[in-house]
Amino acid sequence: MASACACRPVWDAEGTTNLAYLLGLDWQLADRYRTLKDRETTSKQLRNAANDPILGRIVGKASELRGQIAVAEHRVNEVERQVAGFRVVPEYENLRRRADEMDQRIRALRNQDVLDRRNLADLEKAVEEAVDPDIAYLESTYAELGVVLSDQVRRSFADVEAFHNSVVRNRRRYLGEEAATIRTRLTERESERERLGTELATVLRALNEGGALDALTTLQQVLAQEQAMLAALRHRYEAAQALEASRRSIATDRIALQQATEADIDERRRFVDEAVVLFAEFAQTLYGEGREAYLRFSPGDSSLRIDPHIASDNSGGIGNMVIFCFDLTVAVLGNRGRRAPNFLVHDSHLFDGVDERQVARALTLAAEVARREQMQYIVTLNSDELDKAVRRGFDPTGRVLQQRLTDAYESGGLFGFRF
């Protein structure tokens, strides 16, 4: 009794997208399965993270967060009501504004002091370096050399010395005046700072004694903290909702995609029927007219399902022949629709375990289909396997590509091996 072949090829979403294009179906619709699969993978990773004892605390569960948000909103509303009901008399506002102005002025004076003290240090260093030139050594030096200086030369040295002394005195006077000016500014700012400090202390004492400053500041700090906590809870709640809704959204999108895929299969019935008939024709050529064979197209959970079916009598290698017939079907339809190159290539492994008669019939079928469809079929076979197919009726005349090895024995054989 015949049974369904258990060796059904399995393709993922990317594979069925390519097959849908070659067979003339809506490949973009088939590709949506891949996008859906990516979303599902991401959703699973996020759910696993949410179930983690540590990472789960970052998001949490929407039901728990909903209650925490309600409590946090009540706290924020209560503090806002207290802040809104807090009243400060106009004089208090004037005192606080005055305190802010004096504090800013004191800070500015300190910054100016820093710059002036730095400049004063530079000036004092410059005064120390400004010294009168010493030319007394010149006459003794010339005397040691045996040179007697004339009165005119001595007068020239004296004039130069007087000029340099005048320059040094002027520089010292200028630097001293600049330093004195800076010291005056420092003294004035120190006096102003002391005055402002005393006044500021008086204003702050009046504010603190009223108690309004501390109370309002505390309320505002508490409100800011509660609002920040509420915002964090709402962000976590949105993330938890999105995470919990992703599974339902994916399930809904999968159903919609399956319905759209089913509709596309019905709308492109001409392409589907052509593929089914062609596959059955190839299978029955290999196994006889009585063998049930067809292609089944259906929307799956994770991809468009394309199931090639050949009734099996439990003979070995029929699974490989299912792949052979399906590949030949796809190649022919892709070539007819100008959606694929006009050749098909198979490796010899496809025929491992296949009965010699089926190998001969498959090669004969491929040769006939290639001639009829103006295609090229290429298969790699060992010479002994080809001989078996020839004995079973395959005619290789004009179809075998002879190998021509150029490696001489002395140079090392084929691929470095000697046989």
Side-chain angles (χ1 to χ4, degrees):
M1 179 177 179
S3 61
C5 175
C7 302
R8 180 182 68 83
V10 178
W11 297 282
D12 57 10
E14 184 174 357
T16 53
T17 298
N18 298 329
L19 292 175
Y21 172 77
L22 294 174
L23 293 172
L25 300 179
D26 188 346
W27 66 269
Q28 293 178 326
L29 191 62
D31 189 58
R32 283 168 55 185
Y33 275 104
R34 180 182 56 81
T35 304
L36 193 66
K37 179 64 176 178
D38 293 340
R39 287 175 53 196
E40 189 173 23
T41 300
T42 302
S43 178
K44 287 180 179 179
Q45 292 173 346
L46 291 175
R47 287 199 300 271
N48 292 336
N51 293 329
D52 186 270
I54 298 177
L55 295 178
R57 299 176 185 175
I58 299 176
V59 178
K61 296 182 179 179
S63 57
E64 297 176 355
L65 292 171
R66 194 178 297 113
Q68 296 177 21
I69 289 175
V71 174
E73 286 177 343
H74 176 73
R75 288 199 302 265
V76 169
N77 293 334
E78 181 65 22
V79 178
E80 284 179 342
R81 183 187 62 78
Q82 296 177 20
V83 173
F86 197 94
R87 293 293 180 265
V88 181
V89 295
E91 182 60 26
Y92 180 85
E93 290 292 342
N94 293 334
L95 290 174
R96 187 173 65 172
R97 188 181 308 108
R98 177 59 179 160
D100 291 340
E101 292 174 355
M102 287 188 292
D103 181 66
Q104 292 176 3
R105 177 58 180 166
I106 291 173
R107 293 176 183 272
L109 292 174
R110 287 174 179 166
N111 293 334
Q112 293 173 8
D113 280 355
V114 171
L115 295 176
D116 275 348
R117 292 184 187 282
R118 186 179 303 164
N119 293 334
L120 180 59
D122 293 339
L123 290 173
E124 291 174 345
K125 182 178 180 181
V127 170
E128 293 177 359
E129 294 175 352
V131 296
D132 295 333
D134 182 14
I135 61 173
Y137 69 94
L138 291 176
E139 189 169 354
S140 60
T141 301
Y142 278 107
E144 292 176 0
L145 295 174
V147 178
V148 179
L149 298 177
S150 64
D151 293 338
Q152 183 180 0
V153 172
R154 289 190 177 92
R155 284 195 299 271
S156 298
F157 283 157
D159 292 340
V160 171
E161 182 179 9
F163 172 76
H164 280 286
N165 290 336
S166 175
V167 171
V168 170
R169 284 195 301 272
N170 291 336
R171 177 172 176 76
R172 285 179 176 174
R173 183 173 60 254
Y174 170 76
L175 294 176
E177 291 174 354
E178 288 294 318
T181 301
I182 292 177
R183 292 189 185 95
T184 301
R185 289 202 301 264
L186 290 171
T187 302
E188 291 174 352
R189 281 199 292 266
E190 183 177 2
S191 299
E192 184 179 1
R193 207 165 44 246
E194 291 178 355
R195 178 182 59 80
L196 290 173
T198 302
E199 187 177 352
L200 178 59
T202 303
V203 174
L204 291 177
R205 190 179 306 110
L207 292 174
N208 290 330
E209 288 175 356
L213 179 61
D214 290 339
L216 181 59
T217 302
T218 302
L219 282 176
Q220 290 173 340
Q221 291 176 348
V222 171
L223 177 60
Q225 293 173 355
E226 295 295 340
Q227 288 175 334
M229 186 176 299
L230 176 59
L233 287 173
R234 284 173 175 168
H235 284 307
R236 290 174 58 193
Y237 178 70
E238 292 174 0
Q241 272 193 320
L243 180 59
E244 294 174 5
S246 63
R247 182 182 299 178
R248 296 189 297 270
S249 174
I250 291 173
T252 301
D253 292 345
R254 177 178 285 109
I255 294 175
L257 180 56
Q258 289 173 334
Q259 292 173 346
T261 301
E262 185 69 38
D264 181 66
I265 293 173
D266 291 337
E267 291 173 2
R268 301 173 190 260
R269 178 59 59 186
R270 178 173 65 86
F271 295 103
V272 172
D273 291 346
E274 185 180 12
V276 171
V277 171
L278 198 60
F279 178 81
E281 173 190 329
F282 294 157
Q284 290 172 359
T285 299
L286 297 182
Y287 293 100
E289 295 292 335
R291 184 65 62 91
E292 180 186 35
Y294 57 82
L295 286 176
R296 180 169 55 203
F297 294 81
S298 61
D301 291 336
S302 58
S303 68
L304 167 67
R305 292 193 60 177
I306 305 176
D307 298 326
H309 172 90
I310 297 178
S312 172
D313 56 0
N314 295 324
S315 61
I318 191 170
N320 290 7
M321 289 299 94
V322 170
I323 298 175
F324 171 83
C325 293
F326 181 75
D327 287 352
L328 196 58
T329 300
V330 173
V332 169
L333 295 181
N335 181 60
R336 288 179 182 177
R338 300 295 185 268
R339 294 182 297 272
N342 61 345
F343 63 88
L344 174 64
V345 180
H346 277 151
D347 184 73
S348 60
H349 290 297
L350 182 66
F351 298 98
D352 289 346
V354 180
D355 185 85
E356 297 175 0
R357 293 169 297 178
Q358 268 66 49
V359 174
R361 293 173 184 173
L363 295 177
T364 302
L365 173 62
E368 174 59 24
V369 170
R371 182 195 63 78
R372 184 182 67 196
E373 301 291 336
Q374 295 184 348
M375 295 172 53
Q376 185 177 18
Y377 179 73
I378 303 173
V379 59
T380 58
L381 282 177
N382 291 333
S383 57
D384 57 337
E385 295 296 328
L386 178 61
D387 293 340
K388 294 177 184 178
V390 171
R391 287 196 298 269
R392 291 293 184 175
F394 172 64
D395 183 8
T397 303
R399 298 190 176 101
V400 177
L401 297 177
Q402 297 297 329
Q403 296 82 10
R404 184 170 61 89
L405 304 181
T406 57
D407 287 353
Y409 178 79
E410 293 79 6
S411 62
L414 180 64
F415 302 121
F417 294 95
R418 296 184 180 182
F419 300 93

